[in-house]
Amino acid sequence: MITIVGEYPYYRARITDWVVDLARLHSEGIEAISFYIPWRLHERSSGDIDFTGADVSNANLDQFFDLLRNQGLKAVVKPGPFIHAEVRYGGLPDRIVHCSDSEKDYRFSSFGIGFGEDPPLSSVDSSFLTEAITWLEIVRDRLVVPNLDIVAAVQIGNEGVFSDAAKPTDHPRRSPVSGIDQVLSTFSNVFADVPVKRYINLPLPDPSIANHLAYDWWVTRVLPLTEVAGAKGYTAWAGPTSTSDEALARTLMASPHFDMGCVEENWGHVWDGSHYRSADVLLHHSVLSLALGSSTLSIYTACTTNSMDSTLQPTTTDLLAEGMEPKAFTGVYCPAAPLAAGGKDGETLDGLRRLVALRDAINETGTRWSICYDLDLIIDPGAAFITWRVAGIVKDLLVRYGLHARTIFSSAAEVGSSRPAVRVQTAGDPWESDELRVTVRRGGRDVEWIPMDAMQLDAESIWRILQLTPKLPSLDSNSSYRIRWVAGDDSDACLDFIFNRASEKVDVRYGIESSSGGVGGKSLFTLGPYGVLVLLSMDGVRWEEISDLR
């Protein structure tokens, strides 16, 4: 079942808007509300935590949980301890940030907003860990346990410990590589005896870093964290997949490593361009996350807000120190959100409504769907230096050849499935040579290997090596692609997501031998006009031509 989760930063909203905003979100089809909890907002003095709003009215989390329950909404609780969320010190109290001893070499500050000139803080600092665990225990005992009837999940950390998981290993303000997994596990264990889902959210390769370095750091810092116990999701801040080849490549390469799929999708921030004000663009991104396996669809944020306490506001000095534009942190937060404060219509409400319609139609099938991959691309850890090329290869295989590849990072001999596969290993010392050993696998067995220089490895070479024929007819555009789901039963049911990234309309000439009768008499969903089409195939109807993509 697919669930739509709307982010609602209660600490940025007027408490008088809470009731009407939550009621409107529920009426528009949102089933759960996610929210960060800024530690510094609720701490009146050391160890004195207030959830009643005694000092700041919109810090009354006790009331907020009651309102969620009254509206029939579930809660996804995100207590950090560091939350980022564009708030000062990532929500950490001043006393926590200032407690570290900058004289010690192992202490590195986080990459969170607002650290500026303050002494650095380390995730392996024992005093920080003690305080952080105490904070999480208070959240557990006073918020999560009393509200287990509506708490659907608890997020542990935020993109690492200090939103630092994908940052360079030599960045002067990052946490030690070896500490992130242990710290996240320690935080998660606080909730070990509570019957609630726990998950960590992790970033995709950082688009602000040169491609090969971004992937190197992602492989060495983020990928190992996918082995941490519990569920994992990714945050989709890698750029617009609707227009950027690089963003699409990052997403296609990384998404198979996260069982929850995307847990934070931009539906309101416009920092990276005015196209984020388009409901069609945002819908395109969300449907891609869905097609790639997201069981929850995140709307971040679902409602505009503009009433945050001054203690949470980053200072201009802090923002400039982080390379941020101060003007971006003033005024309405997430101005392109589907709803506006006070229960009013927002800029992208039409996109949310179309997404809700798609969710309902898929859920109504009662079918357990899975992604139909055409091949496995197995990368030996020793060959991880080519990961940035692998991402482009996965994108080109899908867009140019109609083949959906699943990436696997492993040295195990038996990894993969019965699908055709290519295993990429180094043929020598990776420090001295770019020579690769490319092994062809069929039926789960190695059948031949080919020596190849790293620069020769591309989508065409893999296509030629495997001699695969796309299972689906090609589209009349090299900017369009499709992702297929297949039913988990013995039927021929399938569901195809077609994405057009071209500026012009694309004719889709399409034929399926076992195609769709659909749900409730509707089998074709045109979610565009910005290039998203969904074909639900169940009982033998043949699609000949659809030409309304964009």
Side-chain angles (χ1 to χ4, degrees):
M1 298 293 285
I2 301 161
T3 301
I4 297 181
V5 180
E7 180 82 14
Y8 186 78
Y10 66 91
Y11 50 88
R12 291 181 179 271
R14 291 184 293 270
I15 191 170
T16 52
D17 286 338
W18 284 2
V19 174
V20 65
D21 288 346
L22 294 176
R24 182 71 191 278
L25 289 170
H26 186 253
S27 71
E28 292 293 348
I30 286 178
E31 300 151 285
I33 298 297
S34 58
F35 51 93
Y36 289 106
I37 303 178
W39 181 356
R40 68 183 289 113
L41 178 67
H42 296 280
E43 181 173 280
R44 294 190 291 188
S45 61
S46 178
D48 182 11
I49 303 298
D50 175 58
F51 294 129
T52 67
D55 296 327
V56 181
S57 62
N58 63 354
N60 191 344
L61 270 177
D62 291 338
Q63 180 180 343
F64 188 70
F65 272 96
D66 287 341
L67 292 175
L68 291 174
R69 181 178 291 102
N70 293 340
Q71 292 296 335
L73 291 162
K74 295 294 185 181
V76 177
V77 180
K78 304 193 289 186
F82 178 92
I83 64 170
H84 199 303
E86 293 76 53
V87 301
R88 184 166 174 78
Y89 296 146
L92 298 177
D94 289 351
R95 67 180 183 84
I96 300 297
V97 176
H98 299 161
C99 72
S100 290
D101 180 357
S102 59
E103 298 297 320
K104 295 189 178 180
D105 293 338
Y106 69 85
R107 300 177 190 273
F108 299 92
S109 71
S110 77
F111 191 74
I113 289 172
F115 280 79
E117 299 299 322
D118 291 316
L121 181 64
S122 169
S123 62
V124 296
D125 182 332
S126 59
S127 59
F128 164 71
L129 286 176
T130 299
E131 294 279 7
I133 291 170
T134 298
W135 158 250
L136 293 175
E137 289 173 341
I138 291 171
V139 171
R140 177 196 64 196
D141 296 340
R142 292 174 53 185
L143 294 177
V144 175
V145 171
N147 295 289
L148 279 175
D149 57 320
I150 63 169
V151 175
V154 175
Q155 178 179 297
I156 306 300
N158 187 63
E159 294 188 334
V161 179
F162 295 128
S163 297
D164 51 0
K167 296 306 173 188
T169 51
D170 61 349
H171 196 286
R173 301 173 65 183
R174 54 86 172 126
S175 293
V177 178
S178 61
I180 296 179
D181 55 346
Q182 292 98 327
V183 174
L184 291 177
S185 294
T186 298
F187 290 167
S188 181
N189 287 338
V190 171
F191 299 89
D193 295 328
V194 181
V196 67
K197 182 174 185 176
R198 294 166 284 162
Y199 72 95
I200 59 174
N201 68 334
L202 295 170
L204 298 177
D206 192 330
S208 68
I209 301 172
N211 246 348
H212 66 290
L213 294 177
Y215 286 102
D216 287 349
W217 291 323
W218 188 84
V219 168
T220 57
R221 291 177 63 80
V222 176
L223 195 59
L225 295 177
T226 63
E227 301 301 318
V228 174
K232 270 77 66 175
Y234 66 89
T235 56
W237 300 99
T241 53
S242 56
T243 55
S244 166
D245 283 348
E246 291 77 13
L248 180 60
R250 293 183 196 102
T251 304
L252 291 173
M253 183 278 296
S255 60
H257 304 284
F258 300 93
D259 57 326
M260 287 181 65
C262 178
V263 294
E264 195 167 283
E265 188 87 61
N266 180 11
W267 268 73
H269 284 299
V270 296
W271 297 333
D272 295 329
S274 59
H275 51 279
Y276 281 102
R277 291 186 180 273
S278 165
D280 296 321
V281 169
L282 302 183
L283 184 66
H284 186 121
H285 298 167
S286 284
V287 176
L288 177 60
S289 294
L290 171 63
L292 292 175
S294 294
S295 56
T296 59
L297 298 177
S298 163
I299 310 296
Y300 188 100
T301 65
C303 185
T304 66
T305 49
N306 187 23
S307 185
M308 187 168 70
D309 188 75
S310 60
T311 61
L312 294 178
Q313 183 64 44
T315 68
T316 298
T317 301
D318 292 334
L319 292 172
L320 292 174
E322 294 291 343
M324 304 290 183
E325 173 53 59
K327 289 191 299 184
F329 291 82
T330 60
V332 174
Y333 188 70
C334 293
L339 293 183
K344 300 173 184 177
D345 292 359
E347 292 187 20
T348 55
L349 177 58
D350 178 62
L352 173 61
R353 287 174 172 171
R354 283 180 277 160
L355 187 64
V356 168
L358 176 61
R359 175 206 64 192
D360 291 346
I362 294 175
N363 284 346
E364 285 172 13
T365 67
T367 301
R368 188 178 183 86
W369 301 98
S370 61
I371 301 172
C372 180
Y373 289 106
D374 299 297
L375 69 148
D376 291 331
L377 191 53
I378 306 169
I379 311 301
D380 186 271
F385 67 92
I386 65 162
T387 303
W388 69 279
R389 290 187 62 81
V390 170
I393 289 169
V394 172
K395 186 267 297 180
D396 288 342
L397 282 170
L398 185 62
V399 175
R400 293 173 55 191
Y401 297 98
L403 298 170
H404 193 184
R406 180 174 185 259
T407 56
I408 301 172
F409 291 87
S410 176
S411 58
E414 302 303 321
V415 73
S417 65
S418 59
R419 288 187 292 267
V422 168
R423 180 191 291 279
V424 181
Q425 300 167 292
T426 54
D429 186 344
W431 294 100
E432 299 179 359
S433 171
D434 287 343
E435 187 177 353
L436 301 174
R437 176 188 174 106
V438 180
T439 305
V440 179
R441 291 168 60 85
R442 298 185 188 279
R445 299 176 58 189
D446 294 349
V447 295
E448 61 177 315
W449 69 272
I450 303 165
M452 184 180 295
D453 186 88
M455 297 305 293
Q456 294 176 309
L457 188 69
D458 58 15
E460 182 178 0
S461 65
I462 290 178
W463 174 68
R464 291 184 181 280
I465 289 170
L466 290 178
Q467 299 179 331
L468 292 177
T469 300
K471 296 179 181 178
L472 301 170
S474 61
L475 301 172
D476 294 339
S477 170
N478 60 8
S479 293
S480 300
Y481 63 92
R482 72 186 78 226
I483 294 172
R484 168 166 286 188
W485 284 3
V486 292
D489 51 28
D490 294 328
S491 71
D492 292 325
C494 63
L495 194 155
D496 290 324
F497 299 86
I498 304 173
F499 299 88
N500 174 31
R501 302 166 71 240
S503 58
E504 71 278 0
K505 183 182 291 187
V506 171
D507 288 341
V508 181
R509 300 181 183 280
Y510 196 74
I512 315 176
E513 295 305 321
S514 297
S515 287
S516 93
V519 179
K522 294 183 178 181
S523 52
L524 169 64
F525 297 89
T526 305
L527 301 179
Y530 197 91
V532 181
L533 184 69
V534 181
L535 298 173
L536 183 60
S537 319
M538 304 202 61
D539 65 0
V541 174
R542 182 180 176 85
W543 293 105
E544 294 296 344
E545 181 175 345
I546 302 117
S547 58
D548 53 3
L549 270 184
R550 198 178 175 98

